[in-house]
């Protein structure tokens, strides 16, 4: 029997991930003005890899076992590599609201893929919660699009779809790796794989870093240290302790935090429709993370009534 206290470490880790990933959107906006998509992805991954390798050396964490490498390679190429480049590029081609709506098909794809490939199943509460959260994400995205310049393109939509697909594929690939290696190992070597995959952008990164303002470079380093090195590690820790579908549903809280951070940091006052969509996102997360009543608890009451 799994008690609620046992779930708290995973819940805390997932919460850290969600907050840091939400903060990434604010930093990407700043760094993206001076760095191209590929260069920004490489700089972020290089900073994250450096921090993770240092931690592994201090803690004397060795190489992952051979059985973990297929998942590490898959998540490194899809999630750490392709996803970050596609998302950075896509957000330049479409407005933030459109990008948010498209990328938020990712958790749905995670649930479907994990059910098909990992045999996790699709509990009714998870499906209901994801439906509510996705509706909230659409409302948030629509309200953000209304305030934008209407800047969008077919290329941008395609790139955001690629980002959603690679995100889902990376998560599903990572889950089996966590059965054979620790969260720090899987994150570190996945990040290194993504860094190597983005090395073709090294020349561009060096050129842009020479002229980029200091705040943009600091934001890129922040992206590597916190939303990548720390947040991906806490994500892997939580993912090892729950299903991929439920972890994916948790990320629907990200748009809500993004709205709050934009309000506090960028003085962007959210519209009423945006707040309503955020409330739906949180309600859906609460439903998807909840547990159904145990059958024995439900059947016990009629039995007692029958005896009386």
């Amino acid at each position: 029997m799994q008690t609620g206290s046992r779930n708290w470490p995973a819940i805390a880790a997932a919460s850290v991930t969600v907050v840091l990933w939400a903060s990434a959107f604010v930093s990407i906006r700043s760094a993206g003005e001076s760095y191209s998509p590929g260069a920004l992805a490489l700089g972020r991954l290089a900073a994250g890899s450096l921090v993770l390798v240092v931690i592994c050396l201090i803690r004397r964490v060795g190489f992952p076992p051979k059985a973990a490498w297929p998942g590490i390679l898959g998540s490194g190429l899809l999630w750490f590599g392709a996803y970050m480049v596609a998302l950075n590029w896509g957000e330049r081609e479409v407005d933030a609201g459109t990008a948010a709506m498209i990328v938020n098909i990712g958790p749905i794809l995670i649930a479907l893929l994990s059910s098909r490939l990992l045999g996790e199943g699709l509990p009714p509460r998870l499906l209901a919660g994801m439906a509510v959260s996705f509706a909230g994400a659409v409302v948030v995205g629509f309200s953000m699009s209304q305030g934008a310049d209407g800047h969008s393109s077919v290329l941008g939509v395609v790139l955001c779809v690629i980002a959603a697909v690679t995100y889902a594929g990376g998560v599903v690939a990572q889950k089996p790796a966590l059965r054979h290696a620790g969260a720090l190992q899987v994150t570190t070597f996945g990040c290194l794989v993504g860094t190597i995959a983005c090395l073709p952008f090294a020349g561009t990164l060096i050129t842009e870093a020479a002229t980029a303002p200091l705040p943009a470079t600091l934001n890129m380093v922040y992206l590597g240290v916190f939303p990548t090195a720390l947040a991906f590690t806490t994500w892997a820790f939580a993912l090892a302790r729950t299903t991929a579908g439920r972890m994916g549903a948790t990320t629907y809280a990200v748009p809500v935090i993004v709205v709050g951070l934009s309000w506090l940091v960028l003085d962007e006052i959210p519209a009423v429709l945006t707040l309503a969509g955020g409330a739906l996102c949180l309600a859906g997360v609460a439903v998807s993370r909840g547990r159904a009543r145990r059958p024995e608890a439900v059947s016990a009451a009629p039995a007692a009534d029958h005896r009386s």
Side-chain angles (χ1 to χ4, degrees):
M1 177 176 171
Q2 190 174 25
T3 62
S5 59
R6 282 186 176 180
N7 290 329
W8 278 112
I11 293 173
S15 300
V16 170
T17 297
V18 167
V19 171
L20 290 177
W21 281 355
S23 75
F25 284 88
V26 178
S27 293
I28 287 173
R29 181 174 303 183
S30 172
E33 294 177 357
S34 303
Y35 289 96
S36 57
L40 178 57
L42 176 59
R44 173 180 180 175
L45 289 168
S49 294
L50 178 61
V51 171
L52 288 166
V53 167
V54 169
I55 294 174
C56 284
L57 290 174
I58 293 174
R59 298 189 60 182
R60 298 184 179 181
V61 175
F63 283 85
K66 187 181 297 185
W69 274 102
I72 290 173
L73 289 172
S75 63
L77 292 173
L78 291 173
W79 197 7
F80 287 89
Y83 166 78
M84 290 192 182
V85 176
L87 182 61
N88 291 344
W89 191 0
E91 288 194 355
R92 287 190 165 201
E93 299 293 326
V94 300
D95 59 79
T98 302
M101 284 188 286
I102 298 172
V103 173
N104 271 308
I105 68 174
I108 297 174
L109 295 176
I110 290 173
L112 295 176
L113 288 173
S114 62
S115 174
R116 179 77 174 178
L117 301 178
L118 304 179
E120 291 186 350
L122 292 171
R125 288 184 67 92
L126 174 62
L127 291 175
M130 294 183 76
V132 174
S133 288
F134 183 70
V138 170
V139 172
V140 171
F142 177 76
S143 65
M144 292 168 65
S145 299
Q146 293 299 100
D149 298 328
H151 172 60
S152 62
S153 70
V154 174
L155 174 62
V157 172
V158 171
L159 287 167
C160 288
V161 170
I162 292 174
V165 172
T166 51
Y167 158 49
V171 171
V172 174
Q174 188 185 64
K175 176 67 174 178
L178 291 166
R179 298 173 188 155
H180 308 284
L184 181 58
Q185 284 180 311
V186 171
T187 304
T188 299
F189 288 90
C191 193
L192 285 170
V193 169
T195 303
I196 294 170
C198 290
L199 282 179
F201 301 108
T204 305
L205 174 61
I206 294 171
T207 301
E208 293 176 353
T211 58
L214 181 60
T217 301
L218 291 177
N219 271 292
M220 181 173 67
V221 173
Y222 170 82
L223 287 168
V225 175
F226 293 98
T228 303
L230 178 56
F232 274 79
T233 302
T234 52
W235 164 277
F237 176 87
L239 180 61
R241 290 157 176 78
T242 187
T243 66
R246 294 184 73 188
M247 278 299 293
T250 302
T251 62
Y252 276 119
V254 170
V256 183
I257 302 173
V258 170
V259 170
L261 289 175
S262 297
W263 191 352
L264 293 174
V265 178
L266 303 175
D267 292 326
E268 295 180 353
I269 300 175
V272 174
L273 191 60
T274 304
L275 295 175
L280 278 176
C281 287
L282 291 178
V285 171
V287 171
S288 65
R289 297 293 299 182
R291 292 184 177 275
R293 293 180 64 189
R294 294 182 179 275
E296 59 268 23
V298 176
S299 59
D305 292 339
H306 179 72
R307 285 195 301 270
S308 61

